[in-house]
Amino acid sequence: MDTIKKVAEIIKEKKNVVAFTGAGISVESGIPTFRGAQGLWERYDPDEYAHISSFNRNPEKVWMMLREMAQVIFEAKPSAAHEALSELEKMGYLRAVITQNVDGLHHLAGNKNVIEYHGNHRWLVCPLCRGKTPFTKDVLSIFPYPRCETCQRALKPDVVFFGENIPIEAMIRANEEAKNCNVMFIIGTSGVVYPAAEIPYISKSHGAIIVEFNVERTPFTNSITDYFFAGSASSFLPEIVKMLR
Ligand code: OAD
């Protein structure tokens, strides 16, 4: 409890917080993580299902996983941790959220400045003409997969597959926010996927205080984290908001 008070005081004094989030913040929204016993990558080998070359080779197979993922995302509601970040933005403490998540839940919670580093699963994009359309529920009943009306190519969710580049605008904005924050929250990420995992190191090297929330320790914990909260993000973040009110 003392540590939470201390962190709330730091936020009050320094303001200018940026949150870097991963799948752990959406667990209580009903979306499983990628890694670990219940993780998506336990059931679907990412080499077979999440690499762009697999999609190009066999979109029908990859769409079986994408359909399942979309169903879970459509059902999900923001967690108490998402809501807390939205509150912190409204209160003027949080400047930006940089998320690796593709579920769109930070937007749904009401955050305005959200950088979606790995894209957004609620949109579809044509790999050829780059035209975008909303990924609505009715797409789930299109078999074997939805096609671009112009090019007839298999559409893919507007997310970054392994083997694809990070959207350049997201990368530039994320690096800028990381350099300029006073406090960085690292929330619910294993910190093993690059270049995303570089972001907290950028903040640290520019002098930010690093506050991490995770149910387990990560590569950040022993290297750059100043304050570590072991447990669910939803149990700590609303407490911090309360203390700042
Ligand atoms: P991971 O599945 O790798 O890690 C999820 C993290 O959340 C783990 O460190 C868990 O301990 C933690 N966690 C679980 N429940 C939590 C809770 N209630 N509160 C706080 N933390 C909790 O997910 P990411 O790190 O987001 O990329 O994965 C990074 C990228 O790998 C994803 O964006 C995705 C994936 O492959 C692409 O698809 C390109």
Side-chain angles (χ1 to χ4, degrees):
M1 212 48 177
D2 281 350
T3 321
I4 260 206
K5 248 191 212 152
K6 172 86 185 135
V7 165
E9 272 162 24
I10 291 170
I11 295 167
K12 202 165 214 165
E13 184 204 323
K14 297 198 172 274
K15 303 188 176 70
N16 200 14
V17 181
V18 168
F20 174 61
T21 67
I25 198 170
S26 297
V27 163
E28 276 150 29
S29 299
I31 304 176
T33 58
F34 293 97
R35 297 171 184 81
Q38 311 296 320
L40 192 70
W41 298 155
E42 278 299 302
R43 290 190 296 123
Y44 293 103
D45 177 353
D47 281 343
E48 269 180 65
Y49 286 90
H51 202 283
I52 190 62
S53 55
S54 322
F55 182 83
N56 291 337
R57 215 171 29 243
N58 193 346
E60 182 169 355
K61 177 174 168 179
V62 173
W63 261 98
M64 288 192 295
M65 180 202 70
L66 295 175
R67 219 172 267 115
E68 179 184 319
M69 207 169 154
Q71 254 153 352
V72 173
I73 289 174
F74 285 138
E75 296 299 313
K77 301 269 179 302
S79 67
H82 290 106
E83 305 283 2
L85 291 184
S86 170
E87 273 303 297
L88 287 176
E89 188 185 71
K90 286 192 195 102
M91 292 162 87
Y93 291 113
L94 182 84
R95 213 177 62 198
V97 177
I98 304 167
T99 188
Q100 299 163 89
N101 300 343
V102 296
D103 53 35
L105 290 177
H106 288 297
H107 282 298
L108 273 186
N111 277 95
K112 302 285 182 242
N113 192 16
V114 182
I115 301 166
E116 293 178 317
Y117 205 81
H118 288 159
N120 188 324
H121 211 273
R122 293 174 194 257
W123 285 86
L124 296 171
V125 63
C126 171
L128 199 60
C129 72
R130 305 307 298 173
K132 289 187 189 181
T133 46
F135 188 164
T136 51
K137 279 186 186 167
D138 45 303
V139 171
L140 297 176
S141 50
I142 303 173
F143 287 92
Y145 45 76
R147 289 175 185 272
C148 175
E149 281 182 8
T150 317
C151 327
Q152 294 309 306
R153 281 279 290 269
L155 291 173
K156 68 181 265 295
D158 190 17
V159 301
V160 177
F161 279 48
F162 288 111
E164 287 190 299
N165 291 327
I166 305 299
I168 191 72
E169 196 211 330
M171 201 173 212
I172 292 168
R173 281 177 65 206
N175 288 350
E176 249 345 86
E177 296 291 3
K179 277 182 201 162
N180 292 316
C181 64
N182 295 334
V183 179
M184 160 142 292
F185 283 178
I186 307 175
I187 308 170
T189 176
S190 59
V192 296
V193 173
Y194 281 80
E198 276 167 14
I199 289 165
Y201 295 102
I202 296 173
S203 298
K204 183 72 175 184
S205 68
H206 283 77
I209 293 172
I210 309 290
V211 184
E212 185 178 11
F213 305 85
N214 201 311
V215 294
E216 61 188 24
R217 297 175 82 79
T218 71
F220 303 120
T221 318
N222 289 332
S223 55
I224 56 168
T225 297
D226 296 298
Y227 298 95
F228 182 69
F229 291 97
S232 160
S234 288
S235 59
F236 296 114
L237 287 167
E239 277 305 306
I240 292 178
V241 171
K242 253 193 233 162
M243 287 176 184
L244 289 168
R245 276 220 177 89

